[in-house]
């Protein structure tokens, strides 16, 4: 089949492409650094032509112009993971939060998440007419399979990434050739508190482990503390600069992985320009759809699987809130519980949830008698394993309520221990012994 014959017919301007979107449609948009920025801009510029168009997206790195207030009323944002640029629109004014595990998104597309339009980025086609979805694989293939119209920005600065990331030109309805630098995520140098947390987490990582690291400052600090380890592997949702640094040092080599030996496996890549250059055409890195990477039964096949994620607060029973602060939806569950459960089934697996002991410049303890009213429980007390703060490690798995409370109080900030001890003594009707 000579794909070049129909390739030219599919080339569209952004304005032509967005004419495929009709009132009442749902547009499923690419994730993180692979969000389709030209389509977002064109839609935002023409927002007044649209009524009640639902946009499903997760994090958009950089500016998503469809989230600007002038688009409210024209676009309805539905998302299961919020970030600074989408919190306001989704929580209050122009959308609704959609509680769902990241791994379930591909299966929901076309059903619970209608998908008339799929709008994504990819590389320009290779000689056989295949484009790589580049840095975000996650739910793209599911949307491309289900959509009435598939609109792809073929960005010549999108890295070519191996794995299950290929789509053929014949699957695309509108092609927008373009060239722009992917938006970057720069991580700040870990603070003293984060470095201490990173150090405690690193003591739980033995050589030959396969790691998953989540989003936020803490997973970065952990990566910085792993330089002396050997033969680590990665099976993760996200792939970041810290992992690339450990690959360059030879610490991450996947030699002892029990599935995908020698390969770093993830579903999306988010970081700096240097990271995007590092992954381009790199055969050691493979992306797969999120319903594969985040499936607990796949995760569990990794020997010494260790998941390391961050959370917002923990109550004295070990219930963990990672995505909301009271009624305020802050982010989403992503793959946290899937990796917690996968790691707990894996041979010699562990899951770690880490956080600074306080928030709001020390004014609030993140270890609390009760979660803030309205907070969603992300990881239940039955699933939780290790909790880490800058004061140490509490292993909650296999511990009674009383012992959990004692261990959590020991890793709480000293300023808040007296209040927590008071609650402990009231609850368990006995003296707290340090
Ligand atoms: N009460 C009030 N405010 C709180 C709080 C609490 N219990 N906990 C945190 N905050 C505030 C912080 O002070 C901070 O405020 P600031 O931005 O004004 O400084 C803000 O909330 C964010 O907290 P922080 O700890 O800095 O968050 P982070 O950027 O490191 O992200 C999570 C942490 C938990 C939000 C993030 O890891 C997440 O979304 N996790 C769930 C998903 C997941 O684990 N996925 C894993 C697979 S990739």
């Amino acid at each position: 089949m000579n794909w070049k014959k129909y390739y030219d017919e599919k080339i569209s301007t952004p304005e032509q492409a967005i004419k495929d979107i009709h009132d009442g449609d749902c547009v499923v948009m690419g994730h993180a650094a692979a969000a389709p920025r030209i389509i977002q801009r064109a839609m935002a510029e023409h927002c007044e032509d649209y009524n009640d168009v639902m946009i499903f997206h997760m994090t958009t790195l950089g500016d998503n112009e469809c989230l600007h207030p002038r688009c409210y009323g024209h676009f309805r944002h539905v998302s299961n993971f919020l970030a600074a640029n989408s919190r306001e629109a989704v929580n209050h004014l122009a959308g609704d939060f959609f509680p769902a595990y990241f791994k379930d998104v591909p299966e929901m597309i076309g059903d619970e998440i209608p998908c008339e339009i799929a709008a994504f980025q990819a590389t320009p086609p290779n000689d056989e007419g295949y484009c790589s979805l580049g840095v975000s694989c996650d739910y793209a293939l599911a949307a491309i399979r289900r959509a009435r119209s598939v609109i792809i920005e073929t960005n010549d600065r999108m890295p070519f990434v191996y794995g299950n990331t290929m789509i053929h030109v014949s699957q695309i309805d509108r092609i927008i050739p373009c060239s722009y630098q992917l938006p970057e995520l720069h991580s700040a140098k870990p603070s003293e508190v984060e470095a201490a947390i990173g150090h405690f987490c690193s003591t739980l990582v033995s050589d030959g482990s396969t790691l998953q690291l989540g989003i936020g400052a803490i997973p970065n600090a952990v990566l910085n503390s792993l330089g002396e380890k050997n033969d680590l592997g990665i099976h993760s949702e996200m792939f970041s600069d810290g992992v690339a640094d450990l690959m360059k040092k030879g610490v991450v080599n996947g030699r002892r992985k029990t599935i995908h030996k020698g390969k770093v496996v993830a579903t999306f890549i988010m970081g700096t320009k240097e990271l995007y250059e590092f992954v381009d055409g790199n055969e050691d890195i493979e992306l797969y759809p999120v319903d594969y990477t985040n499936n607990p039964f796949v995760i569990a096949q990794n020997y010494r699987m260790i998941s390391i994620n961050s959370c917002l607060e923990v109550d004295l029973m070990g219930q963990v809130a990672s995505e909301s602060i009271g009624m305020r939806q802050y982010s989403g569950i992503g793959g946290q519980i899937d990796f917690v459960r996968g790691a707990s089934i894996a041979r010699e697996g562990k899951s770690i949830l880490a956080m600074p002991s306080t928030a709001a410049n020390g004014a609030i303890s993140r270890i609390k008698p009760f979660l803030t009213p309205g907070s969603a429980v992300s990881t239940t007390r039955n699933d939780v394993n290790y909790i880490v703060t800058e004061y140490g490690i509490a292993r909650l798995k296999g511990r009674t309520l009383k012992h959990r409370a004692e261990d959590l109080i020991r890793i709480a900030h000293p300023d808040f221990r007296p209040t927590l001890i008071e609650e402990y003594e009231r609850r368990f009707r006995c003296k707290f012994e340090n």
Side-chain angles (χ1 to χ4, degrees), residues 3-4 22 30 79 104 134 180 198 216 281 291 311 364 387 428 431:
W3 61 270
K4 286 186 181 138
H22 306 310
S79 182
D104 292 340
Y180 61 86
D291 46 350
C311 57
I364 296 172
I387 299 286
F428 298 106
K431 275 242 95 15

Side-chain angles (χ1 to χ4, degrees), residues 98-101 103-114 142 146:
F98 180 82
Y101 300 127
K103 84 162 184 339
D104 292 340
V105 169
E107 197 198 340
M108 288 175 165
I109 285 179
D111 198 351
E112 289 87 355
I113 305 167
R146 301 301 292 261

Side-chain angles (χ1 to χ4, degrees), residues 81 212-218 237-238 309-313 322 325 330-336 339 356 359-360 364-366 368:
F81 201 99
Q212 174 263 333
L213 292 124
I215 291 170
I218 305 278
E237 178 179 304
M238 187 176 103
N309 291 302
S310 199
C311 57
L312 295 166
E313 56 186 40
S322 308
I325 305 168
Y330 188 80
S331 57
I333 184 126
Q336 183 168 115
F339 279 96
I364 296 172
S365 175
R366 290 164 74 144
K368 301 188 153 177

Side-chain angles (χ1 to χ4, degrees), residues 21 29 51 72 91 130 138 153 170 196-197 232 236 273 330 338 340 354 363 369 371 380 408 420 422:
I21 305 168
M29 281 191 180
N51 233 323
Y72 293 175
N91 267 332
Y130 285 95
D138 31 54
E153 296 177 8
S170 57
I197 295 170
L232 299 181
S236 196
K273 188 165 168 278
Y330 188 80
D338 297 311
V340 165
L371 295 180
T380 75
L408 285 166
L420 294 167
E422 215 174 280

